[in-house]
Amino acid sequence: MVAMKPVVKQGASVEARPVERGEKAFIQVLIGPEDGAPHFITRKFTILPGGRIPKHKHPTIEHEQYVLSGRMKVYLGDEVKEVAAGQAVYIPPDTPHAYVNEGEEPVEFLCIIPKTSAYATEWLEE
């Protein structure tokens, strides 16, 4: 077994990449497999004003999220929830979800997912 080592890094040093099919939405992988994390991946999303991530689902992956700043609408199945800084969101596997920032400030949230051999995304809208 390979010895795991602690990792500390500055979030601002991690490249922000555009989210697939998103508009004005970016992702940073803060801690992941390349850091030696064996079980979970911690990601930070930023959605700029007017931005969105379209409806999609992950058949076998749960999401645990925490909103750091701003507010947004989260579509969870047939429900729409307004979430803001300080709130946590749990999305079970196979749950359709989408994000929309209709506000005037960026939204930032952490999203923790289990590390798996495959990360399937089923897009439900274009």
Side-chain angles (χ1 to χ4, degrees):
M1 182 172 181
V2 176
M4 291 180 271
K5 296 180 180 178
V7 173
V8 176
K9 62 182 172 181
Q10 186 67 31
S13 71
V14 177
E15 177 188 7
R17 299 183 326 260
V19 173
E20 180 184 0
R21 298 196 189 190
E23 298 171 17
K24 300 180 182 180
F26 303 90
I27 182 174
Q28 296 169 278
V29 177
L30 300 178
I31 299 290
E34 65 282 349
D35 300 302
H39 302 292
F40 297 96
I41 300 170
T42 301
R43 308 170 309 165
K44 179 182 168 195
F45 285 83
T46 302
I47 304 176
L48 300 176
R52 64 189 291 269
I53 300 173
K55 188 181 289 187
H56 62 286
K57 66 180 181 173
H58 312 281
T60 60
I61 304 288
E62 69 182 71
H63 289 47
E64 296 172 5
Q65 301 175 338
Y66 182 77
V67 182
L68 299 168
S69 64
R71 61 184 327 109
M72 66 180 164
K73 289 184 178 177
V74 180
Y75 294 76
L76 300 166
D78 295 330
E79 296 184 65
V80 180
K81 301 284 187 181
E82 178 101 8
V83 299
Q87 292 185 297
V89 178
Y90 172 68
I91 303 173
D94 211 35
T95 301
H97 55 286
Y99 308 87
V100 177
N101 180 357
E102 295 176 344
E104 297 180 12
E105 297 182 21
V107 173
E108 295 182 319
F109 64 97
L110 295 178
C111 180
I112 294 90
I113 59 171
K115 179 183 167 194
T116 63
S117 59
Y119 184 81
T121 301
E122 183 180 331
W123 294 98
L124 303 172
E125 66 177 282
E126 293 302 314

